[in-house]
Amino acid sequence: LVESILFGHVKGSFTGATDNHAGKFVEAHGGTLFLDEVGELPIDMQVKLLRVLQEGEVDPVGGKRPTKVDVRIISATNKDLAKLVADNRFREDLYYRLNVLPIVVPTLKERRDDIPELAQHFLRLHSEEQGIKPKEFSPQGMEALQRHDWPGNIRELRNLIERLLIMVPKQVIDGSDVDMFLQGRAPSGVPSLSVGTHYDSLREARNAFEREVISL
């Protein structure tokens, strides 16, 4: 399946191949192709990817002739590829072929000063997506975010901000709220829905109801 997605296939080459498919390399001809989590590629696909990078042509699954491609490759991984090479889990020749211009992105733990701006960005983003009023962090709440080591980096921060926005009933998120969710505990004191409660939208009412059900 990965080979078909990257290099394409011809009609009838395997079960379900009802049409010709160009593949990502052909579609990106003359441009740039981003390969995310390249460290997850199985060894057999690493061999085929290396051949494409070296020879500039792809062989579609079931095809009889290669197709020339001119593609700039940007790849990313959260793994230590040098260690995978040492463990014989990633081809050394492919590693050096990809590692022409390495860019090391620091972890969120190493960039704690960026957390306030990122947190505000995700608050605005999720508020718009959920259709609810924006909230804010107290100074203690922001300090709690900056104290955390963030082993899951930016994805962990984004997910936490979304949970805090939906589950914390107050308009100001404080340090105890952040610590509570980092420890995996649900908040207490979530107000019950009542006929007299005012909500600006159906989505906001639904989120309040979800908060109550989840915290039970």
Side-chain angles (χ1 to χ4, degrees):
L1 181 60
V2 174
E3 184 177 1
S4 170
I5 291 172
L6 290 178
F7 310 139
H9 64 254
V10 299
K11 181 179 178 180
S13 57
F14 55 86
T15 302
T18 57
D19 295 293
N20 292 335
H21 174 62
K24 298 301 181 184
F25 270 88
V26 172
E27 292 176 354
H29 178 69
T32 302
L33 182 62
F34 175 55
L35 301 177
D36 198 9
E37 299 299 350
V38 71
E40 302 292 345
L41 277 178
I43 291 294
D44 60 332
M45 281 303 304
Q46 293 178 28
V47 174
K48 295 176 180 179
L49 176 59
L50 177 63
R51 179 179 177 276
V52 172
L53 298 181
Q54 289 179 334
E55 301 182 13
E57 59 183 30
V58 297
D59 287 307
V61 178
K64 296 182 179 180
R65 62 180 63 181
T67 301
K68 287 288 184 181
V69 291
D70 179 14
V71 180
R72 178 194 295 110
I73 296 297
I74 299 175
S75 59
T77 181
N78 66 351
K79 296 183 179 297
D80 184 347
L81 289 187
K83 185 177 185 305
L84 293 183
V85 169
D87 294 340
N88 295 317
R89 295 166 56 195
F90 198 86
R91 291 184 61 93
E92 185 175 23
D93 45 9
L94 178 59
Y95 170 68
Y96 287 114
R97 190 67 181 82
L98 291 172
N99 198 33
V100 176
L101 184 61
I103 300 174
V104 178
V105 180
T107 64
L108 196 56
K109 179 181 178 180
E110 299 173 277
R111 300 291 298 270
R112 296 183 190 271
D113 290 344
D114 291 343
I115 290 176
E117 185 173 352
L118 290 168
Q120 295 298 337
H121 167 73
F122 289 134
L123 270 180
R124 292 191 299 269
L125 179 68
H126 290 307
S127 295
E128 293 174 0
E129 289 178 349
Q130 298 292 335
I132 58 180
K133 294 179 181 178
K135 295 182 180 179
E136 59 184 275
F137 285 96
S138 69
Q140 294 76 20
M142 195 61 71
E143 288 175 7
L145 290 178
Q146 292 181 284
R147 283 197 308 268
H148 187 55
D149 285 342
W150 302 107
N153 284 301
I154 196 70
R155 291 185 181 94
E156 183 184 2
L157 175 62
R158 177 172 181 158
N159 291 340
L160 177 69
I161 298 300
E162 185 174 16
R163 290 198 301 273
L164 289 169
L165 180 67
I166 294 174
M167 296 296 295
V168 175
K170 304 172 296 183
Q171 283 301 113
V172 178
I173 302 170
D174 59 31
S176 61
D177 299 318
V178 174
D179 291 337
M180 187 180 300
F181 278 92
L182 286 175
Q183 296 167 12
R185 293 185 286 118
S188 59
V190 177
S192 299
L193 298 183
S194 65
V195 176
T197 304
H198 173 72
Y199 299 99
D200 291 336
S201 67
L202 177 61
R203 178 175 290 181
E204 188 173 350
R206 185 195 66 193
N207 289 335
F209 175 74
E210 289 177 351
R211 283 198 300 267
E212 181 177 359
V213 172
I214 293 171
S215 64
L216 292 178

